[in-house]
Amino acid sequence: MGCCRLVVGLDERVSDIDPNIFGHFIEHLGRCIYHGIWVGRGSDIPNIDGLRMDVVEAFRSIGVPIIRWPGGCFADTYHWMDGVGPVERRPRRVNIWWGGEETNEFGTDEFIKLCRLVGAEPYICVNVGSGSPEEAAAWLEYCNYTGGSRYARLRVENGYPEPYRVRYWGVGNESWGCGGSFDPVYYAWEYRRFATFLKQTDPSVKLVACGHTSTDWNLRLMESLRNFIHLIDYLSIHYYFFRNHQRYGGDVDFTDEQYLNLLFDIQHLEYEIKQAISIVDFFSEGRKDVWIAVDEWGVWHPQATTENGLYQQNTLRDAILAASILNLFIKYSRRVRMANIAQAVNVLQSICLTRGRDTVLTPTYHVFKLYKPHIAGIALGTRVESPVIKEPSRDDFVGLRGVRRRLESLKAIDASASIDLNSSRLVITIVNRSLDEDIDIEVVVNGGYRIAESEYAYITSKSVRSYNDFDTPNNIRITEESIDIKSNRFTLNLQKHSINRLILKLS
Ligand code: AHR
């Protein structure tokens, strides 16, 4: 394969990276919360106040910065009062989206406890579809109010004297679909109502409006919010690589072509991000920054069905996809200020899978661990010269439903870089997506610093179809290797289908 180069510009500062782009999402769905996170205080599975310790530890170890809850589709059916107070008095409800009965054992106080144990910001999505602004504002009062009001007192009576100071609030979920089948203009009107009362209850909160991809929803929504820009802080989009057996294959069973198709399609997510940015910029007219939150993203394999609680396996291919998408969020870090992979445990592209007492850390978990040092960083400009591993073909246009879009070739190499000014550490992450070629890449660090120390770590395996399972939990993990880099121009060998990280201490 031809020669490759990565140029990192230490003086090309793109933006600080919002830690929240490394966020996660949990929903009352399948075994995500019950069994996956919450086992209950009486369980013989090691737990802290009912929260399973191994999963809490996994979240902590990758520095999960923010957790979105309670859904998802579930959010627009959820009445928060069902989930507070003595457990034996909490009502059981039908989970209309995901089946079974919701016991409400895990509610607001349990969620906040999880966030506190992990060190994550809570991000709550309120019920617009079947709820009211009054209910939403009462929830906010329960969480954040310091005085002796009805709901603040209720929180104190439930044993939590300190306000929770929940900063991030979503106003409905997928309001164009499971959140109530709204039309964008009608949703905008509802949004204005909810946002008015939420911001008035606590002006410090950041509100997320529900956006959409591949339709004119964002355009019509933002047009209707044009004179109410002060009420919106984020526009959310969701992006799933969704159950396309023909194009992507299955979770562990896919062809080489399907592997390439999946990675090739990341450009559609990039397109949606760019579209969302231009729409919010156009309607906010420079009066205020409205950020983009990709608050659900990931692969949804055909194996994940409602019947099995959206459970699927997670291979090195998914990890390579996750790494490439994190690179994309870093590239757009000036505007993408939050992202939440779906979902953290036992559902879709998880970081943990649980079975009884056992927990497996997936390849995607290891990507978040590898990327953790980017959290404190400032994104830097990168330029990549790389061989192409897939050119666009006629088949790639199928599924775009008549949308005309220029498709780009897929490069083998994809990279991102950031600098942590406090510790003078340059972090470079490089993915080699080639299925069959190791690549020697020349890395050039411009900007006149000296490299004093270096660390190297990578993730790979013999096959992109490898995964971690309960009997073989360590097929995919991070390997650290010693490396001695002293020059600003050096060559690194990247194994085929690998995710690599360099940490260079500058002086
Ligand atoms: O993550 C699973 C579901 O996907 C969520 O509930 C919904 O928001 C999305 O459609």
Side-chain angles (χ1 to χ4, degrees), residues 80-109:
W80 69 272
M81 285 283 281
D82 291 349
V84 296
V87 173
E88 59 288 357
R89 285 204 230 132
R90 298 187 191 178
R92 292 175 85 89
R93 300 268 189 200
V94 180
N95 187 332
I96 62 163
W97 288 109
W98 306 114
E101 286 180 11
E102 170 57 49
T103 62
N104 282 304
E105 257 185 86
F106 186 93
T108 306
D109 303 320

Side-chain angles (χ1 to χ4, degrees), residues 189-239:
W189 288 33
E190 284 295 307
Y191 181 87
R192 279 152 44 178
R193 235 156 62 92
F194 275 74
T196 300
F197 297 109
L198 288 170
K199 290 253 186 204
Q200 199 60 27
T201 304
D202 179 349
S204 73
V205 295
K206 300 286 172 206
L207 298 185
V208 184
C210 169
H212 195 8
T213 53
S214 307
T215 68
D216 62 356
W217 172 282
N218 292 346
L219 198 77
R220 295 177 62 206
L221 167 67
M222 289 306 300
E223 212 275 324
S224 305
L225 291 179
R226 181 180 221 146
N227 297 327
F228 299 88
I229 282 298
H230 59 287
L231 293 178
I232 170 172
D233 299 294
Y234 293 81
L235 178 73
S236 82
I237 54 174
H238 290 177
Y239 199 92

Side-chain angles (χ1 to χ4, degrees), residues 306-363:
T306 307
E307 292 67 42
N308 75 0
L310 303 190
Y311 184 84
Q312 64 187 31
Q313 250 302 348
N314 190 303
T315 62
L316 178 58
R317 173 176 73 156
D318 298 320
I320 289 174
L321 179 102
S324 307
I325 291 178
L326 293 177
N327 287 345
L328 188 66
F329 295 155
I330 291 171
K331 176 174 168 189
Y332 288 94
S333 51
R334 206 172 65 75
R335 303 309 304 278
V336 176
R337 307 295 289 176
M338 192 199 300
N340 309 73
I341 193 168
Q343 300 189 5
V345 191
N346 291 331
V347 170
L348 301 177
Q349 192 169 353
S350 308
I351 53 166
C352 304
L353 301 176
T354 69
R355 188 178 67 187
R357 302 177 69 84
D358 300 330
T359 293
V360 165
L361 302 173
T362 68

Side-chain angles (χ1 to χ4, degrees), residues 25 27 29 68 71-74 98 173-174 176 178 238 240 296 300 310 342-343 347-348:
F25 165 44
E27 181 171 9
L29 192 178
R68 177 174 183 252
C73 296
F74 181 81
W98 306 114
N173 169 75
E174 296 191 355
W176 36 268
C178 65
H238 290 177
Y240 287 105
E296 287 185 32
W300 189 320
L310 303 190
Q343 300 189 5
V347 170
L348 301 177

